[in-house]
Every structure is written in structure tokens, then in C-alpha cells.
Amino acid sequence: AQRVTQPEKLLSVFKGAPVELKCNYSYSGSPELFWYVQYSRQRLQLLLRHISRESIKGFTADLNKGETSFHLKKPFAQEEDSAMYYCALRNTGFQKLVFGTGTRLLVSP
Amino acid sequence: DVKVTQSSRYLVKRTGEKVFLECVQDMDHENMFWYRQDPGLGLRLIYFSYDVKMKEKGDIPEGYSVSREKKERFSLILESASTNQTSMYLCASSFEQGDQPQHFGDGTRLSIL
């Protein structure tokens, strides 16, 4: 069965500190991995996806098939990064997403 | 810009009532989805639809049904609302093919008293 695990419910860091939000998945095929973000009082929106290999708002995520991980990283956190982050997995060729339970990132000044 | 609109931001209903949550998208997306979002549980898929009049059960369909009579509109129906259906409900839509992302609405916070 497909599963996405985000082990941290809350991650609290100071502004300027590095951030790593962990995401592990279980899936036997070739998954597509995504990070979605929800800022306070805003709708859930796509942050980045592994196939794009791009950096969005300073965040990057690398798919590690050996460790079945897709951790989200940013070298220097900003206060405006405070939000709820969800890792999600999709079976290639299908549209259903499986979400993790989310990690709340709190960046303090 | 993609617009997914949910008819109500907040809704309060009573146990046993039949409840309708409406969602409309303006991007001619084939796929539409209903999730519920609960603290500590993340987003869980209730139902989705990949075409008009087509629907498939998600992970937690019990107590819910859906309707898709037009491509742009996807309705979630609580046949007989219960208190354990108090939650935030999110609608999303996407194109059918490729690696297209899902676009979400603002959500409906539903309270069942």
C-alpha cells in the first residue's frame, strides 16, 4: 500500500537557521512526489515536485529512491516560511494523491 | 489563474441533516476531488471524479456520496450528517494527463451539532 510518513508534527526554528522537513514514503513502483504548502488563511498550494528539480522560494527536495525519502530543505529559514507543509505521493499515470499528516513549520525571529 | 470555488467557507448543520457541499472550477479540468483535512491525520481522499457522471471511492467514502452532472461542478453529499463528520473539507481539480498538479479551493469548515 502507498504511504507517506512525515514524522514531525511541529518543527520550530529561528530565522536564518537551516530547515529540513522529513518525508518518507512506501511504494513499490515509480512514484511522483510533491510538497504542498498551506500558509495561514490561504489555500493549499503546490510548492514543488520532484520531476521539476527546481528551487521554489529557496526550498529544494531530492528524491532518494534508496532511502525512499523526499525531504524538503532550505538553507536559511525566513519568518514567511511559517506554514503547514504536506508531502504527497502519486502513482505514475494516476491522479490520486496520498498525503502525509503534515508538518507545521514555525520560524521565529 | 486557476480558480476552484467552494460555495461556503463555514457551515453549521445538525445531526441527521442531509448536507451538500459544492465545488466549481473554471479551468475545464477533467479530474475533481474531495478531501477532508483533520489535525494529525492530514488530507484523506473521500471521492474523486475523472469525468462527468463518473466517480470513484477514495480512502474514506463511508457516509458520503458525490455528484458530477457538469464538468465544472463536483458536489459532496453527507446523506445523514453525524458529529464525526465535523471537519475541514477541501475540493481540488486537475487536468487528466501528465504530471499536472492539483489545485485546491479555500475549504469549507463544516460543524455538525
Side-chain angles (χ1 to χ4, degrees):
Chain A
Q2 302 172 38
R3 174 173 278 187
V4 177
T5 302
Q6 294 180 250
E8 303 136 330
K9 286 187 177 180
L10 172 66
L11 185 62
S12 185
V13 301
F14 287 106
K15 177 182 173 181
V19 168
E20 183 179 54
L21 287 81
K22 290 184 168 49
C23 173
N24 288 91
Y25 66 91
S26 61
Y27 181 64
S28 57
S30 287
E32 296 174 10
L33 275 297
F34 304 82
W35 277 99
Y36 280 80
V37 61
Q38 189 170 30
Y39 301 102
S40 179
R41 296 189 180 86
Q42 294 187 28
R43 61 183 60 188
L44 193 65
Q45 57 188 287
L46 178 69
L47 180 62
L48 54 79
R49 43 188 160 173
H50 87 270
I51 59 170
S52 300
R53 294 183 166 273
E54 56 193 348
S55 173
I56 304 293
K57 299 185 178 182
F59 284 98
T60 58
D62 291 319
L63 179 62
N64 186 324
K65 291 187 178 181
E67 295 183 359
T68 59
S69 68
F70 188 57
H71 303 326
L72 184 67
K73 300 177 183 178
K74 185 170 183 176
F76 307 104
Q78 303 299 314
E79 289 180 68
E80 55 265 30
D81 295 329
S82 295
M84 193 74 177
Y85 291 80
Y86 292 96
C87 183
L89 174 154
R90 183 170 68 194
N91 182 358
T92 305
F94 294 85
Q95 282 296 325
K96 282 176 58 175
L97 284 174
V98 175
F99 284 86
T101 52
T103 297
R104 182 168 296 283
L105 175 64
L106 181 61
V107 182
S108 303
Chain B
D1 196 20
V2 176
K3 190 72 174 176
V4 179
T5 304
Q6 294 184 230
S7 55
S8 303
R9 197 68 194 267
Y10 300 94
L11 206 54
V12 180
K13 297 290 182 182
R14 295 205 174 273
T15 303
E17 280 193 71
K18 190 169 185 176
V19 181
F20 293 84
L21 302 184
E22 307 287 346
C23 175
V24 176
Q25 50 93 6
D26 66 356
M27 280 300 292
D28 204 33
H29 285 164
E30 292 86 6
N31 301 317
M32 296 189 75
F33 308 83
W34 275 107
Y35 296 89
R36 61 177 285 176
Q37 182 183 29
D38 299 288
L41 296 177
L43 275 76
R44 293 178 291 166
L45 182 65
I46 304 172
Y47 267 98
F48 69 102
S49 168
Y50 50 89
D51 202 351
V52 174
K53 297 191 185 296
M54 305 301 288
K55 61 184 180 183
E56 285 200 23
K57 293 181 180 179
D59 300 316
I60 51 164
E62 295 79 19
Y64 303 94
S65 63
V66 290
S67 173
R68 191 157 181 211
E69 297 297 317
K70 293 184 178 181
K71 191 174 185 179
E72 67 270 19
R73 185 179 297 270
F74 192 36
S75 303
L76 180 69
I77 304 155
L78 285 67
E79 297 291 345
S80 177
S82 63
T83 55
N84 62 11
Q85 292 178 309
T86 291
S87 186
M88 172 69 88
Y89 290 87
L90 298 182
C91 176
S93 68
S94 72
F95 285 116
E96 176 187 26
Q97 69 276 13
D99 62 347
Q100 300 302 310
Q102 293 185 14
H103 298 269
F104 285 83
D106 287 325
T108 296
R109 185 165 294 283
L110 175 64
S111 296
I112 306 296
L113 305 179

